[in-house]
Amino acid sequence: DVKVTQSSRYLVKRTGEKVFLECVQDMDHENMFWYRQDPGLGLRLIYFSYDVKMKEKGDIPEGYSVSREKKERFSLILESASTNQTSMYLCASTAGGTSRGYTFGSGTRLTVV
Amino acid sequence: EDKVVQSPLSLVVHEGDTVTLNCSYEVTNFRSLLWYKQEKKAPTFLFMLTSSGIEKKSGRLSSILDKKELFSILNITATQTGDSAVYLCAEITSGTYKYIFGTGTRLKVLA
């Protein structure tokens, strides 16, 4: 069964900490995405990558960065966590031309205190 | 700016009822529209719609796209408590793999 795996299901971090959220897919997909999901706002795109070492800003990149050193791994970095980054973070991947859209990870619920 | 709007925001029904969820979109270069079901964790794929007027079905769920009026509906017949979830609609713009999501419809089915 193909998978997108997010390393943590729940995380609690302190304001100002550097936070790493990891996402690994085993489907050899080129395209990977990070979204955050908040009540009433839906899913909003933070960053995405179409290839190794390539990254592009989504709609809400401020306060975040990403790293894609290997095709299967896409990491989201909160340089200095703030309380307004408390959210559910979803990673997704897709191959070009797929008829089934994204495959999502199970999500990481991050609380910044 | 591209936009996807879902209605209603939430809905409570009883088992056996039929529900219709709505998704309208405003996009510059539409390619496809997708429906996902999200329970407590990862959204799971339901349908991808590209052509207007062709209904897609999976068991008690069905969906159709109207590209002239820029909307899609998701129907669930004979609802069950296991249908309780957030239903997400998303569109893909031509030339990209980025999705734009609506805010979702939260469906609760009571026994």
Side-chain angles (χ1 to χ4, degrees):
Chain A
D1 196 15
V2 293
K3 272 189 183 171
V4 176
T5 303
Q6 293 185 231
S7 54
S8 304
R9 186 86 179 98
Y10 298 95
L11 271 180
V12 179
K13 295 291 182 180
R14 293 195 181 278
T15 301
E17 278 193 75
K18 191 168 185 175
V19 181
F20 294 85
L21 303 183
E22 305 288 346
C23 176
V24 177
Q25 50 96 1
D26 64 0
M27 297 167 283
D28 201 36
H29 284 170
E30 297 87 1
N31 312 301
M32 297 187 74
F33 306 83
W34 276 106
Y35 285 84
R36 63 177 283 177
Q37 185 176 26
D38 301 289
L41 297 176
L43 275 76
R44 294 179 291 165
L45 182 63
I46 305 171
Y47 267 97
F48 61 101
S49 170
Y50 289 160
D51 202 352
V52 176
K53 295 194 186 293
M54 174 271 178
K55 61 185 178 185
E56 284 198 37
K57 293 179 180 179
D59 299 318
I60 51 163
E62 297 78 19
Y64 303 94
S65 63
V66 289
S67 171
R68 192 158 181 210
E69 296 295 319
K70 294 185 177 180
K71 190 175 186 179
E72 66 269 20
R73 185 181 296 270
F74 191 37
S75 303
L76 180 69
I77 303 155
L78 286 66
E79 297 289 344
S80 177
S82 64
T83 55
N84 64 11
Q85 293 178 309
T86 292
S87 187
M88 169 68 86
Y89 290 87
L90 288 165
C91 175
S93 73
T94 185
T98 180
S99 62
R100 293 185 62 83
Y102 289 165
T103 300
F104 281 93
S106 294
T108 296
R109 185 166 294 281
L110 172 67
T111 302
V112 183
V113 297
Chain B
E1 185 181 320
D2 292 353
K3 193 165 60 171
V4 173
V5 177
Q6 292 185 246
S7 64
L9 291 181
S10 65
L11 192 54
V12 180
V13 300
H14 289 91
E15 272 193 320
D17 288 349
T18 293
V19 297
T20 298
L21 309 184
N22 304 293
C23 176
S24 64
Y25 60 93
E26 297 173 20
V27 297
T28 48
N29 291 296
F30 176 85
R31 186 169 82 185
S32 299
L33 186 140
L34 297 95
W35 285 95
Y36 285 86
K37 177 183 181 182
Q38 185 179 23
E39 296 172 88
K40 293 200 183 295
K41 41 187 182 178
T44 53
F45 174 82
L46 294 175
F47 299 110
M48 177 183 275
L49 303 157
T50 303
S51 301
S52 203
I54 298 175
E55 185 182 49
K56 294 213 171 179
K57 289 197 75 164
S58 177
R60 295 176 295 103
L61 278 66
S62 64
S63 184
I64 196 162
L65 175 69
D66 185 327
K67 290 169 78 171
K68 184 179 176 186
E69 300 297 330
L70 307 184
F71 77 91
S72 174
I73 60 172
L74 175 68
N75 278 322
I76 309 174
T77 59
T79 51
Q80 302 171 357
T81 55
D83 295 326
S84 296
V86 174
Y87 290 84
L88 299 168
C89 172
E91 70 86 22
I92 316 172
T93 300
S94 184
T96 177
Y97 292 108
K98 294 189 300 178
Y99 293 10
I100 298 173
F101 284 86
T103 54
T105 293
R106 183 174 296 276
L107 173 66
K108 183 162 187 175
V109 182
L110 302 176

PDB file of all heavy atoms in Angstrom, chain A residues 1-19:
ATOM      1  N   ASP A   1       0.856  -1.189   0.000  1.00  0.00           N
ATOM      2  CA  ASP A   1       0.000   0.000   0.000  1.00  0.00           C
ATOM      3  C   ASP A   1       0.894   1.242   0.000  1.00  0.00           C
ATOM      4  O   ASP A   1       1.787   1.361   0.807  1.00  0.00           O
ATOM      5  CB  ASP A   1      -0.889  -0.025   1.248  1.00  0.00           C
ATOM      6  CG  ASP A   1      -2.043   0.948   1.122  1.00  0.00           C
ATOM      7  OD1 ASP A   1      -2.305   1.394  -0.006  1.00  0.00           O
ATOM      8  OD2 ASP A   1      -2.653   1.266   2.152  1.00  0.00           O
ATOM      9  N   VAL A   2       0.627   2.137  -0.932  1.00  0.00           N
ATOM     10  CA  VAL A   2       1.460   3.331  -1.040  1.00  0.00           C
ATOM     11  C   VAL A   2       1.212   4.252   0.133  1.00  0.00           C
ATOM     12  O   VAL A   2       0.129   4.305   0.700  1.00  0.00           O
ATOM     13  CB  VAL A   2       1.183   4.053  -2.368  1.00  0.00           C
ATOM     14  CG1 VAL A   2       1.639   3.207  -3.525  1.00  0.00           C
ATOM     15  CG2 VAL A   2      -0.280   4.415  -2.488  1.00  0.00           C
ATOM     16  N   LYS A   3       2.244   5.023   0.475  1.00  0.00           N
ATOM     17  CA  LYS A   3       2.121   5.800   1.703  1.00  0.00           C
ATOM     18  C   LYS A   3       2.822   7.140   1.640  1.00  0.00           C
ATOM     19  O   LYS A   3       3.841   7.304   0.976  1.00  0.00           O
ATOM     20  CB  LYS A   3       2.770   5.024   2.840  1.00  0.00           C
ATOM     21  CG  LYS A   3       1.872   4.054   3.566  1.00  0.00           C
ATOM     22  CD  LYS A   3       2.593   3.546   4.792  1.00  0.00           C
ATOM     23  CE  LYS A   3       1.728   2.515   5.498  1.00  0.00           C
ATOM     24  NZ  LYS A   3       2.443   1.835   6.550  1.00  0.00           N
ATOM     25  N   VAL A   4       2.206   8.082   2.375  1.00  0.00           N
ATOM     26  CA  VAL A   4       2.876   9.318   2.731  1.00  0.00           C
ATOM     27  C   VAL A   4       2.920   9.324   4.246  1.00  0.00           C
ATOM     28  O   VAL A   4       1.870   9.263   4.897  1.00  0.00           O
ATOM     29  CB  VAL A   4       2.127  10.550   2.194  1.00  0.00           C
ATOM     30  CG1 VAL A   4       2.810  11.829   2.662  1.00  0.00           C
ATOM     31  CG2 VAL A   4       2.053  10.515   0.677  1.00  0.00           C
ATOM     32  N   THR A   5       4.107   9.371   4.800  1.00  0.00           N
ATOM     33  CA  THR A   5       4.275   9.248   6.241  1.00  0.00           C
ATOM     34  C   THR A   5       4.781  10.551   6.823  1.00  0.00           C
ATOM     35  O   THR A   5       5.800  11.091   6.381  1.00  0.00           O
ATOM     36  CB  THR A   5       5.264   8.122   6.575  1.00  0.00           C
ATOM     37  OG1 THR A   5       4.794   6.898   6.007  1.00  0.00           O
ATOM     38  CG2 THR A   5       5.398   7.948   8.077  1.00  0.00           C
ATOM     39  N   GLN A   6       4.056  11.058   7.806  1.00  0.00           N
ATOM     40  CA  GLN A   6       4.508  12.236   8.545  1.00  0.00           C
ATOM     41  C   GLN A   6       5.031  11.750   9.886  1.00  0.00           C
ATOM     42  O   GLN A   6       4.394  10.924  10.540  1.00  0.00           O
ATOM     43  CB  GLN A   6       3.363  13.227   8.701  1.00  0.00           C
ATOM     44  CG  GLN A   6       2.961  13.824   7.366  1.00  0.00           C
ATOM     45  CD  GLN A   6       1.891  14.902   7.493  1.00  0.00           C
ATOM     46  OE1 GLN A   6       0.878  14.849   6.808  1.00  0.00           O
ATOM     47  NE2 GLN A   6       2.123  15.877   8.333  1.00  0.00           N
ATOM     48  N   SER A   7       6.170  12.272  10.271  1.00  0.00           N
ATOM     49  CA  SER A   7       6.933  11.673  11.367  1.00  0.00           C
ATOM     50  C   SER A   7       6.225  11.766  12.708  1.00  0.00           C
ATOM     51  O   SER A   7       6.383  10.890  13.551  1.00  0.00           O
ATOM     52  CB  SER A   7       8.310  12.323  11.463  1.00  0.00           C
ATOM     53  OG  SER A   7       8.175  13.726  11.559  1.00  0.00           O
ATOM     54  N   SER A   8       5.455  12.811  12.934  1.00  0.00           N
ATOM     55  CA  SER A   8       4.800  12.965  14.229  1.00  0.00           C
ATOM     56  C   SER A   8       3.317  13.196  14.036  1.00  0.00           C
ATOM     57  O   SER A   8       2.906  13.906  13.123  1.00  0.00           O
ATOM     58  CB  SER A   8       5.385  14.155  14.990  1.00  0.00           C
ATOM     59  OG  SER A   8       6.772  14.028  15.137  1.00  0.00           O
ATOM     60  N   ARG A   9       2.523  12.595  14.907  1.00  0.00           N
ATOM     61  CA  ARG A   9       1.086  12.837  14.849  1.00  0.00           C
ATOM     62  C   ARG A   9       0.713  14.077  15.659  1.00  0.00           C
ATOM     63  O   ARG A   9      -0.129  14.862  15.236  1.00  0.00           O
ATOM     64  CB  ARG A   9       0.353  11.613  15.393  1.00  0.00           C
ATOM     65  CG  ARG A   9      -1.129  11.673  15.250  1.00  0.00           C
ATOM     66  CD  ARG A   9      -1.578  11.173  13.877  1.00  0.00           C
ATOM     67  NE  ARG A   9      -3.043  11.227  13.792  1.00  0.00           N
ATOM     68  CZ  ARG A   9      -3.712  12.229  13.201  1.00  0.00           C
ATOM     69  NH1 ARG A   9      -3.060  13.232  12.664  1.00  0.00           N
ATOM     70  NH2 ARG A   9      -5.024  12.212  13.149  1.00  0.00           N
ATOM     71  N   TYR A  10       1.359  14.223  16.801  1.00  0.00           N
ATOM     72  CA  TYR A  10       1.124  15.373  17.667  1.00  0.00           C
ATOM     73  C   TYR A  10       2.482  15.921  18.111  1.00  0.00           C
ATOM     74  O   TYR A  10       3.400  15.161  18.405  1.00  0.00           O
ATOM     75  CB  TYR A  10       0.317  14.993  18.918  1.00  0.00           C
ATOM     76  CG  TYR A  10      -1.072  14.461  18.623  1.00  0.00           C
ATOM     77  CD1 TYR A  10      -1.310  13.087  18.532  1.00  0.00           C
ATOM     78  CD2 TYR A  10      -2.139  15.319  18.423  1.00  0.00           C
ATOM     79  CE1 TYR A  10      -2.562  12.597  18.258  1.00  0.00           C
ATOM     80  CE2 TYR A  10      -3.401  14.836  18.139  1.00  0.00           C
ATOM     81  CZ  TYR A  10      -3.612  13.477  18.057  1.00  0.00           C
ATOM     82  OH  TYR A  10      -4.861  12.990  17.780  1.00  0.00           O
ATOM     83  N   LEU A  11       2.551  17.250  18.154  1.00  0.00           N
ATOM     84  CA  LEU A  11       3.766  17.911  18.638  1.00  0.00           C
ATOM     85  C   LEU A  11       3.368  19.102  19.480  1.00  0.00           C
ATOM     86  O   LEU A  11       2.443  19.837  19.107  1.00  0.00           O
ATOM     87  CB  LEU A  11       4.612  18.426  17.465  1.00  0.00           C
ATOM     88  CG  LEU A  11       5.651  17.545  16.809  1.00  0.00           C
ATOM     89  CD1 LEU A  11       6.329  18.319  15.679  1.00  0.00           C
ATOM     90  CD2 LEU A  11       6.674  17.057  17.810  1.00  0.00           C
ATOM     91  N   VAL A  12       4.105  19.310  20.573  1.00  0.00           N
ATOM     92  CA  VAL A  12       3.927  20.528  21.361  1.00  0.00           C
ATOM     93  C   VAL A  12       5.299  21.189  21.457  1.00  0.00           C
ATOM     94  O   VAL A  12       6.275  20.550  21.876  1.00  0.00           O
ATOM     95  CB  VAL A  12       3.377  20.235  22.771  1.00  0.00           C
ATOM     96  CG1 VAL A  12       3.229  21.539  23.551  1.00  0.00           C
ATOM     97  CG2 VAL A  12       2.040  19.512  22.685  1.00  0.00           C
ATOM     98  N   LYS A  13       5.389  22.438  21.035  1.00  0.00           N
ATOM     99  CA  LYS A  13       6.656  23.155  21.034  1.00  0.00           C
ATOM    100  C   LYS A  13       6.467  24.511  21.712  1.00  0.00           C
ATOM    101  O   LYS A  13       5.357  25.037  21.800  1.00  0.00           O
ATOM    102  CB  LYS A  13       7.146  23.363  19.593  1.00  0.00           C
ATOM    103  CG  LYS A  13       7.473  22.072  18.875  1.00  0.00           C
ATOM    104  CD  LYS A  13       8.696  21.404  19.450  1.00  0.00           C
ATOM    105  CE  LYS A  13       9.054  20.140  18.724  1.00  0.00           C
ATOM    106  NZ  LYS A  13      10.247  19.488  19.301  1.00  0.00           N
ATOM    107  N   ARG A  14       7.588  25.060  22.132  1.00  0.00           N
ATOM    108  CA  ARG A  14       7.545  26.376  22.784  1.00  0.00           C
ATOM    109  C   ARG A  14       7.786  27.481  21.760  1.00  0.00           C
ATOM    110  O   ARG A  14       8.491  27.292  20.765  1.00  0.00           O
ATOM    111  CB  ARG A  14       8.598  26.442  23.870  1.00  0.00           C
ATOM    112  CG  ARG A  14       8.335  25.498  25.044  1.00  0.00           C
ATOM    113  CD  ARG A  14       9.194  25.847  26.238  1.00  0.00           C
ATOM    114  NE  ARG A  14       8.944  24.919  27.343  1.00  0.00           N
ATOM    115  CZ  ARG A  14       7.924  25.057  28.179  1.00  0.00           C
ATOM    116  NH1 ARG A  14       7.062  26.056  28.050  1.00  0.00           N
ATOM    117  NH2 ARG A  14       7.761  24.179  29.144  1.00  0.00           N
ATOM    118  N   THR A  15       7.226  28.636  22.032  1.00  0.00           N
ATOM    119  CA  THR A  15       7.454  29.816  21.200  1.00  0.00           C
ATOM    120  C   THR A  15       8.947  30.065  21.053  1.00  0.00           C
ATOM    121  O   THR A  15       9.704  29.990  22.041  1.00  0.00           O
ATOM    122  CB  THR A  15       6.786  31.048  21.852  1.00  0.00           C
ATOM    123  OG1 THR A  15       5.386  30.785  21.982  1.00  0.00           O
ATOM    124  CG2 THR A  15       6.988  32.282  20.999  1.00  0.00           C
ATOM    125  N   GLY A  16       9.362  30.305  19.812  1.00  0.00           N
ATOM    126  CA  GLY A  16      10.762  30.595  19.524  1.00  0.00           C
ATOM    127  C   GLY A  16      11.593  29.382  19.141  1.00  0.00           C
ATOM    128  O   GLY A  16      12.705  29.536  18.621  1.00  0.00           O
ATOM    129  N   GLU A  17      11.078  28.181  19.368  1.00  0.00           N
ATOM    130  CA  GLU A  17      11.820  26.974  18.995  1.00  0.00           C
ATOM    131  C   GLU A  17      11.858  26.811  17.482  1.00  0.00           C
ATOM    132  O   GLU A  17      10.946  27.245  16.777  1.00  0.00           O
ATOM    133  CB  GLU A  17      11.148  25.732  19.601  1.00  0.00           C
ATOM    134  CG  GLU A  17      11.485  25.440  21.035  1.00  0.00           C
ATOM    135  CD  GLU A  17      11.030  24.041  21.443  1.00  0.00           C
ATOM    136  OE1 GLU A  17      11.697  23.071  21.037  1.00  0.00           O
ATOM    137  OE2 GLU A  17      10.007  23.945  22.138  1.00  0.00           O
ATOM    138  N   LYS A  18      12.871  26.155  17.005  1.00  0.00           N
ATOM    139  CA  LYS A  18      12.938  25.742  15.600  1.00  0.00           C
ATOM    140  C   LYS A  18      12.290  24.364  15.502  1.00  0.00           C
ATOM    141  O   LYS A  18      12.631  23.458  16.261  1.00  0.00           O
ATOM    142  CB  LYS A  18      14.391  25.696  15.136  1.00  0.00           C
ATOM    143  CG  LYS A  18      14.531  25.535  13.621  1.00  0.00           C
ATOM    144  CD  LYS A  18      15.986  25.787  13.189  1.00  0.00           C
ATOM    145  CE  LYS A  18      16.119  25.761  11.677  1.00  0.00           C
ATOM    146  NZ  LYS A  18      17.485  26.124  11.234  1.00  0.00           N
ATOM    147  N   VAL A  19      11.348  24.225  14.592  1.00  0.00           N
ATOM    148  CA  VAL A  19      10.552  23.002  14.502  1.00  0.00           C
ATOM    149  C   VAL A  19      10.715  22.381  13.117  1.00  0.00           C
ATOM    150  O   VAL A  19      10.639  23.079  12.098  1.00  0.00           O
ATOM    151  CB  VAL A  19       9.053  23.293  14.756  1.00  0.00           C
ATOM    152  CG1 VAL A  19       8.231  21.995  14.687  1.00  0.00           C
ATOM    153  CG2 VAL A  19       8.850  23.972  16.103  1.00  0.00           C
TER     154      VAL A  19
END
